Amino acid sequence: MTAIALRGVPRHVRTFLTHFTAWLAMLFIGSLLAACSGGGTRSDTGTTTGTTTTTPATTTLSVVAPTTDCSKLAAIDITDIGGAGSSIASATVASVTVNGVAISYCNVKGTLAPSNTFQVALPVSTWTQRFAALGCGGLCGNLSDPSAQSSFSFSYSCPLVQQGGFVTAATDMGHSGNASDWTTDTQKQADFAYRGQHITTLAAKKLIKAYYGQEQKYSYFIGCSDGGREALMAAQRYPNDYNGIIAGAPAAHFQVQNSVYHGWNVISNSTTGSSAGNAILYSDKIAILHKAVLASCGDTPDGLISDPRACQFEVASIACAAGATDTSKCLTAAEVAAAGKIYGGPVDASTSARLQAGRPLYGSEYSWPGVEAPTTSSSTGTPVPVTSGVFSYNIVTGAYNLIFTGTPSKPNIDTFGYTDSSFYQTYLAENHPLYDATNPDLSAFKKAGGKLILWHGWADQHISPAYTIAYYEAMQTQMGSSSVDEFSRMYLVPGVAHCGGGEGLDSIDLVSKITGWVEQSTAPSSVMTYKLSSAGAVTSSRPVYPYPAVAKYNGTGDWHDGTNYSSDAARYNVRTPAWAGSFLYTPYSPKVQGVAAP
C-alpha cells in the first residue's frame, strides 16, 4: 500500500492498514491451511502412524504436461474476459519447496480491467487436471502468491495441493489496499462484491487450456472469511464455475457483519457507549471470563465446548463482591455488563426484537483481545481508548465507507443506531443484493452437480458461527433438508477461532473430502481434526461430524486419539430465532453494476 493511497486517511486507520496487508496474506494461507492442513503423521482414521502419511483415497488422474512454453502465455489475449485494458504482464517459471521437494510453476500475472490484479500458478510437471481458485480475506485489496506454499512444510495432508496437483489462482478483487479510493467507484465495488473471482477463474481456465492443450477436469474454490463469502457468492451467482466449493467461516452476511456485529462489540465495551470512551474489558479480565465459561460448559475431555448454544453460563457468577477492594480475580459490575452486552447482542429498544442472528459465543473469549477488546491488561492501571488496536473498530471504519455509498446519509460507528431496527431499511437493504451472499436457493448449483462444504470454528472471534448456522437452516427451509443433504455438509469445530487457531483442533483436511465427493460421489461423513505441537507433530485428533451431530469420547482409551470417539446426538436442537435480518434469507435477484462479467 502506497503513501499516496493513504493520504487523507485518519491516523488510526493508517496504523491499522499498515498491518492489514500482512494479516490478509496470513489469512489467505490460513484459509487454505485450515481446509487442508495438519502436521506430523496421521491416517484418515485419526491414528498416528509413525513417520509416514496415510493419504485419504481420491481419484487418480494422470499427470498432464504442458504443450507449450510458459513464456508464450504472456501473449494470451484476455480482453474477451476482462474487457479493453486487460493484459498479461508476465509468465515465468519459478520453484517452490514443499516438504523438501521442489515444485515448479509457470506463474502468470496480469490485470483484468479495470484493476483486478491476478496470478495463476500452473504446475510445470505435476498437474493432475484440477484447478482451485483461492479466496482472499478481510476487504481483500492484496494479491497473495497462490504458489507460495512454504507454510505447508509441516503439513501431512492434501497431497493434491502439496505435490503441485492443482493449478491455483488468486486475485486482489479489483482494488489495492483498503483506503477510500475504491469505495466510491461502482466498478471496483462490483469487482469486490462478485466479479473479481469469477473473471479470474475464467482467465485461469483459458490459461490452462493454452498451457496444457486441454481443459481442467475438475474445478474447486477454497476460501475462508471473506473468502467464504466469495465461495458462497460463486455458488449463488455462477453455479457452473466450480464442481466443489469449501466455504470457511463465511462473511456471507457482509453488511450486518461489518456494521451491526463489529460496531456493537465496540460500543458495548466502551465506558461512554461510543468510540470516544475507554475500554472496559481488558485481556486479563477476559482470561478470567474465559476460564469460568469453560469450567461451566466445557464438555469434552480437554474442556472445550461441543455446542456453545447449550451453555447456560451466567457472567454475574464471577462478579466481584460488593465493596471489594481487590478485583483482580473477578469482574466488576461494569465488566459484567460489558460482557453481557457482547454475548447478548443488540435488541430493538421499542420492540425488543433481535437485531442480529450471530454474536460472539461462549468459548470464543480466548481470542477476544485485539478484536473485541485491547490486548492490554487492566493491571497497568492506564485506560486505553476502545478504538486502540481493536480490530472490530478498524474493520467497521473501513467497511462503512464501502457499505453506505448509496444511502441518503452515511452513518459512523456512533450514529448508526444499533437499537433501532430501521437501520436495515435505511442503510442495509439497498446493497444487500450486491455484497451479501445469503440467497438460500442453491438449486442451480445443485443442478449443475456442485458440492458444498461449509465449516466454522465454534470459537470464532470475528464472524459468529451462528450466522453460518442460520444460513444453513435457511437453505434447508428453502430447498428441503433432504435436498440440501444431497449436495452440502456443514462442520462446526469446537474451540477453533477464525479460520484456524484457538484452543481447538484446527488442522483439518476438507480438500480431500470435497474432491472425494465430487470425483467419486463419496459424500463425507466424519472428518478428522488435529492439534499440532510447535514442531508440527500431532498431539491429539478428534472427529467432527456433519451438523448437528457432535463427537463424544467413548470413555476408554486415550482421549487424545480420535479413534476413541463416536457420533453423538446434537447438544442443542432449537433453530435460529426470528431476527430483524431474517429477510436476508428470502431468495433475491443479485444486483449487477458496472461492467457485467462474461
Side-chain angles (χ1 to χ4, degrees):
M1 186 177 305
T2 66
I4 293 176
L6 293 176
R7 287 176 184 172
V9 179
R11 183 178 179 181
H12 69 272
V13 179
R14 293 201 307 270
T15 301
F16 166 69
L17 294 176
T18 299
H19 301 285
F20 198 72
T21 299
W23 179 82
L24 288 175
M26 177 193 72
L27 185 57
F28 172 83
I29 293 297
S31 66
L32 191 53
L33 281 170
C36 171
S37 73
T41 60
R42 48 80 74 174
S43 70
D44 205 39
T45 62
T47 56
T48 55
T49 59
T51 59
T52 60
T53 298
T54 303
T55 303
T58 189
T59 300
T60 300
L61 297 177
S62 61
V63 171
V64 174
T67 59
T68 189
D69 187 76
C70 174
S71 62
K72 293 184 178 180
L73 297 185
I76 297 294
D77 182 7
I78 54 174
T79 57
D80 58 325
I81 296 172
S86 301
S87 65
I88 293 175
S90 63
T92 57
V93 174
S95 293
V96 175
T97 300
V98 182
N99 292 337
V101 178
I103 302 172
S104 294
Y105 290 93
C106 172
N107 287 310
V108 180
K109 299 179 180 180
T111 300
L112 290 158
S115 55
N116 291 273
T117 303
F118 72 89
Q119 180 175 339
V120 180
L122 302 103
V124 173
S125 58
T126 55
W127 186 53
T128 61
Q129 307 177 63
R130 297 174 174 93
F131 162 67
L134 307 179
C136 54
L139 298 179
C140 298
N142 179 69
L143 178 62
S144 295
D145 182 354
S147 72
Q149 299 176 17
S150 58
S151 294
F152 286 95
S153 59
F154 59 83
S155 299
Y156 64 87
S157 194
C158 289
L160 294 177
V161 174
Q162 293 186 349
Q163 297 169 13
F166 281 92
V167 168
T168 52
T171 174
D172 63 2
M173 299 287 279
H175 64 276
S176 177
N178 293 289
S180 59
D181 61 329
W182 65 287
T183 60
T184 56
D185 187 319
T186 56
Q187 182 59 60
K188 290 186 177 183
Q189 292 164 11
D191 289 343
F192 168 74
Y194 61 88
R195 181 174 175 262
Q197 287 289 1
H198 174 61
I199 58 177
T200 295
T201 291
L202 296 181
K205 291 180 178 181
K206 186 169 186 176
L207 289 167
I208 286 171
K209 189 170 184 179
Y211 190 49
Y212 301 107
Q214 68 168 67
E215 297 179 347
Q216 69 290 331
K217 187 172 287 290
Y218 299 106
S219 297
Y220 298 93
F221 190 98
I222 305 168
C224 195
S225 194
D226 194 75
R229 180 190 69 89
E230 297 155 29
L232 290 178
M233 190 70 81
Q236 294 164 21
R237 287 193 184 235
Y238 306 107
N240 296 301
D241 273 5
Y242 309 105
N243 304 106
I245 291 175
I246 299 173
H253 308 68
F254 182 79
Q255 295 191 109
V256 175
Q257 175 70 31
N258 292 311
S259 59
V260 188
Y261 180 87
H262 281 301
W264 175 257
N265 291 342
V266 172
I267 66 171
S268 294
N269 194 35
S270 169
T271 53
T272 63
S274 72
S275 62
N278 293 321
I280 299 170
L281 280 168
Y282 292 85
S283 61
D284 55 327
K285 294 303 189 77
I286 291 172
I288 293 171
L289 175 62
H290 181 61
K291 182 178 179 179
V293 168
L294 294 189
S296 175
C297 299
D299 61 346
T300 67
D302 49 2
L304 301 177
I305 306 173
S306 295
D307 188 334
R309 297 172 302 171
C311 181
Q312 299 297 316
F313 176 75
E314 294 290 341
V315 182
S317 65
I318 55 172
C320 300
T325 56
D326 181 4
T327 60
S328 62
K329 294 180 175 59
C330 55
L331 267 59
T332 65
E335 292 165 346
V336 168
K341 289 179 180 179
I342 292 174
Y343 286 134
V347 297
D348 189 284
S350 299
T351 65
S352 296
R354 295 172 180 265
L355 297 184
Q356 59 180 24
R359 63 194 189 283
L361 299 181
Y362 291 121
S364 65
E365 310 83 14
Y366 179 86
S367 300
W368 285 9
V371 179
E372 278 80 17
T375 57
T376 312
S377 171
S378 65
S379 62
T380 65
T382 303
V384 175
V386 72
T387 60
S388 179
V390 177
F391 183 91
S392 284
Y393 174 72
N394 289 313
I395 194 69
V396 166
T397 302
Y400 271 26
N401 287 327
L402 176 64
I403 294 172
F404 304 126
T405 53
T407 53
S409 58
K410 184 183 296 185
N412 57 42
I413 197 168
D414 296 319
T415 62
F416 182 77
Y418 297 95
T419 59
D420 184 347
S421 60
S422 65
F423 64 66
Y424 275 99
Q425 294 304 318
T426 302
Y427 298 134
L428 305 185
E430 179 180 356
N431 284 328
H432 156 59
L434 176 65
Y435 293 120
D436 293 341
T438 56
N439 192 330
D441 185 0
L442 297 185
S443 55
F445 179 69
K446 178 189 175 186
K447 184 178 180 180
K451 306 300 181 187
L452 169 68
I453 293 180
L454 289 157
W455 77 273
H456 212 132
W458 272 124
D460 195 319
Q461 74 279 30
H462 283 287
I463 299 174
S464 176
Y467 280 121
T468 302
I469 293 170
Y471 175 68
Y472 191 71
E473 291 173 344
M475 286 172 55
Q476 293 175 322
T477 298
Q478 176 67 30
M479 303 178 66
S481 295
S482 60
S483 177
V484 170
D485 286 345
E486 292 175 12
F487 76 98
S488 183
R489 293 287 185 276
M490 181 169 68
Y491 298 94
L492 298 171
V493 192
V496 171
H498 187 58
C499 295
E503 299 167 295
L505 285 68
D506 62 340
S507 295
I508 178 172
D509 176 11
L510 293 174
V511 173
S512 294
K513 297 299 181 182
I514 197 71
T515 55
W517 199 1
V518 167
E519 299 172 18
Q520 296 181 316
S521 299
T522 304
S525 53
S526 65
V527 181
M528 197 61 68
T529 65
Y530 301 86
K531 191 69 175 178
L532 310 179
S533 70
S534 58
V538 173
T539 57
S540 58
S541 59
R542 185 175 306 155
V544 289
Y545 296 92
Y547 179 83
V550 300
K552 179 182 180 181
Y553 174 53
N554 295 332
T556 58
D558 185 359
W559 62 263
H560 295 89
D561 189 335
T563 60
N564 295 319
Y565 290 78
S566 57
S567 178
D568 199 21
R571 297 283 188 269
Y572 187 86
N573 290 300
V574 180
R575 291 177 69 86
T576 303
W579 59 295
S582 294
F583 73 92
L584 298 174
Y585 305 127
T586 303
Y588 55 90
S589 297
K591 181 178 180 180
V592 176
Q593 64 185 41
V595 178

